Amino acid sequence: MKKLLLAALACTAALPALAQTPVRVTYVQAGRLLDKPGQAPRGNSTLILRDGKVAEVRDGFVAPEAGAALVDLRDKFVLPGLIDLHVHLFSEGDPVKERMNALTEDEADEFVIGIEDARRDLEAGFTTVRDLGSNPRAIRALRDAVERGAVAGPRIVNAGRMISVSGGHGDGTNGLAEEFADTVAHHQINTCNGPDDCRRAVRQQIGLGAQVIKFAATGGVLSNVAGGLGKQMTDEEMKAIVDTAHAFGRRVAVHAHAAEGVRAAVEAGADSIEHGSFLDDATIAAMKARGTWLVPTMIAPVTALANARAGKLPPATIPKAEAAAASAAASHARAIKAGVKVAFGTDTGVSRHGENAKEFALLVRAGLTPAGAIRAATLDAADALGRKEQLGSLEPGKAADLIAVSGDPLQDVTVLERVDTVVRGGVVHKLGGRRQVFPQDGG
């Protein structure tokens, strides 16, 4: 045995040394730097990025070391990459086109749409997104393609299909002719009825790669079925979903409009409430007591109502769009005033990809300061994801995700609708308003 070991070591020593990948180093010179959202911005600063992470933050404009790249943003305001906690990458935000193409496009077509939409969100400054409802295999493949550098896009935290009771907001058979409904039902695994069946649905989504679980506690605006926006799941079904997801280390995002459904989801232990269009005082108090995040998606009811009134949505959706749009802004303003934790999310895919930052002005109108709205899309969104140690600020050891804008978003938050530069994981994807070649040789 000793002779065999010595022979193996001799052979190993004779092998040529493997070429080592050079460390990617980039110096970013910033005129103003909001490295820690919620605190005052710094003046002239330099970020040193090494292998996709922030290595150092120095005062002044530091000249790059030999072999390092330089990104000159000395006339720009630099801040962490933005996080959108509620998108649908395989939906384009064009309901008429999607309905017309429903019977002619398959999953491969959706995947290409997802690649395009991911690039739009990235170039709008969103370096991380949480996809809360897509084909589970396709979104997992897109997530992994982005991570290995094959596709340009934001970091994706994926939920797979939304879990729903039969006839609920996530039931794909709603409103379909019989022959199509039968086909959809045959393949559908995200619907469940009763606690045990709902545990099964959660486990199947996790088995398909879901990093977060989403379920529909109430009706939804865009589901093609009447029945309003009230509570649709039982308390026992919600508790079974949340407990199962948490047992697997997954956080739970809940589609919920009506106060009764929101409150039941909060009491079941949900991590975030998506939409929250009809919050009452008791529900707001429960969210504060539990520390539940509100993801308002304020642009979604505005967009849905415009589409409904323009005849772009099925008739069953129109009264729901009217009701949600009429209540949502006031509901969110009450929650913000009461101190409910708010994290940024848009439901993009209802609205168009690349327009995510329009949510900021709506959040400010509802009562957040510009600084608070930026924090909601950076540190607070990272906290809601459970990734505060990796994302949300530009501190040593965190991901080298940053954007730059002209103007001061702390004074005018709409500046964020016009992002000049985007860096994700140390790779420059957009510079001076122009798309950069990707993948980049050496970063």
Side-chain angles (χ1 to χ4, degrees), residues 261-285:
V262 173
R263 194 159 57 252
V266 170
E267 295 300 333
D271 299 291
S272 69
I273 297 297
E274 314 295 310
H275 314 309
S277 304
F278 301 92
L279 300 177
D280 57 21
D281 290 342
T283 305
I284 288 171

Side-chain angles (χ1 to χ4, degrees), residues 14-37:
L15 292 174
L18 295 174
Q20 299 217 346
T21 304
V23 175
R24 293 195 329 252
V25 182
T26 302
Y27 280 53
V28 179
Q29 297 174 343
R32 295 184 73 193
L33 174 64
L34 185 65
D35 56 334
K36 300 174 184 177

Side-chain angles (χ1 to χ4, degrees), residues 116-186:
E116 295 169 342
D117 288 342
R119 189 69 184 250
R120 290 188 183 99
D121 289 351
L122 177 66
E123 292 180 353
F126 291 85
T127 52
T128 299
V129 299
R130 188 174 63 171
D131 186 288
L132 288 185
S134 291
N135 177 287
R137 290 181 173 85
I139 194 63
R140 181 189 65 200
L142 182 58
R143 175 197 74 193
D144 293 347
V146 170
E147 286 308 302
R148 68 175 179 267
V151 171
R155 186 177 295 100
I156 298 169
V157 179
N158 57 301
R161 294 288 186 201
M162 175 171 64
I163 294 168
S164 167
V165 293
S166 294
H169 179 48
D171 186 344
T173 68
N174 291 336
L176 295 183
E178 182 177 4
E179 60 182 308
F180 304 124
D182 287 346
T183 300
V184 170
H186 180 70

Side-chain angles (χ1 to χ4, degrees), residues 10 26 39 50 56 64 76-77 79 93 110 127 135 143 151 180 202 247 293 296 302 326 337 358 389:
T26 302
Q39 299 185 18
R50 297 184 188 275
E56 298 178 63
K76 303 296 180 185
F77 191 109
L79 62 156
E110 282 191 353
T127 52
N135 177 287
R143 175 197 74 193
V151 171
F180 304 124
V202 171
W293 291 95
V302 174
K337 185 176 181 180
K358 290 183 177 181
E389 300 305 312

Side-chain angles (χ1 to χ4, degrees), residues 32 56 179 199 227 251 257 293 300 302 334 357 367 405 430:
R32 295 184 73 193
E56 298 178 63
E179 60 182 308
R199 292 186 186 96
R251 297 199 172 195
H257 287 287
W293 291 95
V302 174
R334 286 198 301 274
V405 293
K430 185 179 181 183

Side-chain angles (χ1 to χ4, degrees), residues 161-172 185 188-205 213-217 232-234 236-242 244:
R161 294 288 186 201
M162 175 171 64
I163 294 168
S164 167
V165 293
S166 294
H169 179 48
D171 186 344
Q188 190 165 259
I189 62 171
N190 63 299
T191 51
C192 61
N193 300 287
D196 285 343
D197 197 26
C198 287
R199 292 186 186 96
R200 182 271 313 159
V202 171
R203 290 168 181 151
Q204 284 192 277
Q205 291 304 310
I213 292 298
K214 180 190 180 186
F215 73 86
Q232 292 183 337
M233 269 192 182
T234 68
E236 294 78 13
E237 287 168 333
M238 294 189 202
K239 190 72 164 60
I241 291 171
V242 172
T244 304

Side-chain angles (χ1 to χ4, degrees), residues 30 33 35 42-47 56-63:
L33 174 64
D35 56 334
R42 304 162 63 124
N44 295 347
S45 304
T46 301
L47 289 157
E56 298 178 63
V57 183
R58 297 187 191 175
D59 292 330
F61 297 141
V62 179

